[in-house]
Amino acid sequence: MSAAQSDAKPKRPTCPSCSKPARVCLCSRIRTRNLDNSISITILQHSLERNHPLNSTRIAKLGLKNLNVVTVFEVDFEARFEIRLLEPGLGLIGPESSGFDQVREKGMTQKAGFEVKGDGKCQDEKNRDLIDENESPCEKLDKGSHVDAINGEGVVINATMIKYGVVSHLSHIWKVDTHGKKPKFEHIVTSTMAKEALRGGFVVKKLGRKKLEGNMEVELEESEEFEIKVPQGSVLLFPSQNAIGVDELKSMHFEVKNLIVLDGTWSKAGRVYNENPWLKLLPHLRLDLDRMSLYSEIRSQPKVGCLSTIESIVYSLKALGEKVDGLENLLDVFESMVGDQRRLKDERLSKRTKD
């Protein structure tokens, strides 16, 4: 054995379930694992958060049954997004009022310059200047809105993104008026038919592209990063300008079935949001809580109400009426994890002082 090998510190044992060091394992602190939450959770986790010692998604993975964690990488060179409908025929015949419509219209129609009225007409009937005068608008949409309209594989939205959240290309099967502006995802939800189709849920696939530099030329390598099912009744927990509170959501009779949460520091979560423009197709939910996170003593939080991932999930589920017992225990486990980190920090400081 070499001197370097003999001097190397032994790797400390780590729990395979919670990925914490064995001495601060969280598993025994959770009273009931796999709580059967009726509102499913989808966590989009920034790739640099996975191994952070204070990341609280590990508690959600242990405690909640209906949970899906998706690792999201920042765009390295270029990324493509393909979106397919879960119910391909929905929204291709005519509009139908829904809670999804109400939530989307409240935040998006005013911003995009549209006034969508419940008059039973498809969007193109209100914008006849955009279509062939000899063709019925709804017939045109019906014929052009089949899910093979873009590439023959059921894709209804196709987008390409480069670094820093810049969408370089966007195409979709719906006819909308962008008022001469560059097409954005926000424009899609100004179409009544698009909203109705998306209301039934969709699947989004992200394909990352990287440059492979050879001797003579630059080649691109494309690989699938994720494919996510976004079911009917999905909302994004994110305090955007157009986000609404829980009470307002309930007043619209919108039944939340799936809660999407971004996991990372606030700057990382912001990058996940900006580099996944399909999130703008969803209603945005905010939590109106006037409390500091348990993180505040050991991890910087920008302001009151900025919570950890597990705190955001638990408080959201409770506000939305989730009845499963045991949610409070997940917060207790998180508090103990923060306490562990504080104690270990104090121990390191004490050791340095003695040395």
Side-chain angles (χ1 to χ4, degrees):
M1 181 181 294
S2 67
Q5 288 177 319
S6 61
D7 292 340
K9 293 182 179 180
K11 189 175 181 180
R12 60 184 180 181
T14 301
C15 173
S17 297
C18 68
S19 69
K20 295 286 287 182
R23 62 177 292 205
V24 289
C25 174
L26 303 175
C27 298
S28 62
R29 308 178 197 183
I30 296 182
R31 296 195 192 103
T32 305
R33 289 201 194 187
N34 298 319
L35 298 174
D36 194 10
N37 47 304
S38 60
I39 300 173
S40 62
I41 304 294
T42 300
I43 297 178
L44 304 184
Q45 184 178 58
H46 191 284
S47 59
L48 297 180
E49 276 297 298
R50 288 183 296 177
N51 298 319
H52 195 286
L54 284 174
N55 184 264
S56 64
T57 290
R58 54 171 53 92
I59 298 174
K61 291 170 69 175
L62 290 170
L64 297 174
K65 177 181 178 180
N66 299 312
L67 177 133
N68 181 31
V69 180
V70 179
T71 301
V72 179
F73 293 85
E74 293 186 23
V75 175
D76 177 66
F77 171 70
E78 192 175 79
R80 287 198 305 115
F81 295 92
E82 296 179 350
I83 295 178
R84 297 170 174 81
L85 300 178
L86 286 177
E87 299 183 34
L90 188 63
L92 304 183
I93 304 300
E96 184 177 306
S97 177
S98 68
F100 182 92
D101 290 345
Q102 295 180 52
V103 175
R104 293 302 317 173
E105 285 170 15
K106 180 174 181 62
M108 300 308 304
T109 54
Q110 184 177 0
K111 183 175 180 181
F114 276 83
E115 184 180 5
V116 181
K117 299 179 180 179
D119 55 7
K121 296 182 179 180
C122 68
Q123 187 67 34
D124 276 339
E125 286 183 292
K126 304 169 188 177
N127 298 279
R128 282 187 173 272
D129 57 318
L130 301 180
I131 62 175
D132 187 342
E133 293 180 355
N134 298 319
E135 187 170 21
S136 164
C138 284
E139 287 178 2
K140 181 179 179 71
L141 278 173
D142 191 33
K143 290 190 293 182
S145 295
H146 295 299
V147 293
D148 59 355
I150 291 181
N151 65 0
E153 297 180 358
V155 176
V156 295
I157 301 175
N158 203 329
T160 302
M161 171 170 286
I162 57 178
K163 277 189 172 185
Y164 312 118
V166 177
V167 177
S168 59
H169 167 78
L170 174 62
S171 60
H172 54 85
I173 66 171
W174 299 284
K175 189 120 176 162
V176 298
D177 188 355
T178 63
H179 297 282
K181 297 180 179 179
K182 183 179 179 180
K184 296 182 179 181
F185 273 76
E186 293 92 323
H187 294 142
I188 297 175
V189 291
T190 63
S191 164
T192 304
M193 299 189 78
K195 285 185 294 185
E196 183 64 17
L198 295 167
R199 180 182 68 85
F202 54 88
V203 174
V204 57
K205 178 190 289 187
K206 180 183 177 184
L207 300 155
R209 288 176 172 176
K210 295 182 178 180
K211 287 196 297 185
L212 299 178
E213 297 187 9
N215 295 327
M216 300 296 294
E217 59 183 15
V218 176
E219 297 181 355
L220 293 181
E221 179 185 60
E222 184 174 83
S223 59
E224 181 178 322
E225 182 175 312
F226 62 68
E227 185 171 80
I228 305 172
K229 179 181 178 181
V230 183
Q232 183 176 3
S234 292
V235 297
L236 172 68
L237 182 65
F238 192 77
S240 66
Q241 183 179 356
N242 298 313
I244 64 174
V246 173
D247 291 340
E248 197 168 359
L249 195 68
K250 289 179 178 179
S251 71
M252 295 175 180
H253 305 290
F254 184 92
E255 183 183 359
V256 178
K257 298 179 180 179
N258 180 56
L259 182 69
I260 298 177
V261 181
L262 309 184
D263 180 39
T265 62
W266 278 97
S267 60
K268 290 175 186 173
R271 291 198 290 274
V272 170
Y273 181 73
N274 291 329
E275 293 192 357
N276 287 271
W278 57 272
L279 292 171
K280 295 180 174 65
L281 301 174
L282 298 169
H284 288 32
L285 177 68
R286 69 170 186 270
L287 273 181
D288 298 318
L289 292 177
D290 185 21
R291 66 172 70 201
M292 291 295 294
S293 170
L294 292 170
Y295 260 152
S296 58
E297 293 183 28
I298 55 174
R299 200 172 189 186
S300 177
Q301 300 298 301
K303 60 182 179 180
V304 173
C306 295
L307 307 174
S308 67
T309 299
I310 190 62
E311 289 172 307
S312 299
I313 290 172
V314 170
Y315 291 133
S316 295
L317 288 178
K318 293 175 68 175
L320 291 168
E322 179 65 68
K323 302 298 184 183
V324 64
D325 293 329
L327 290 176
E328 288 291 342
N329 173 240
L330 300 183
L331 294 181
D332 295 337
V333 175
F334 176 62
E335 185 174 15
S336 71
M337 185 182 78
V338 172
D340 290 340
Q341 194 68 18
R342 190 188 307 113
R343 187 181 70 254
L344 293 173
K345 181 179 179 181
D346 292 341
E347 289 176 0
R348 287 194 297 270
L349 290 174
S350 177
K351 185 176 180 181
R352 288 176 186 172
T353 302
K354 291 178 180 179
D355 293 343

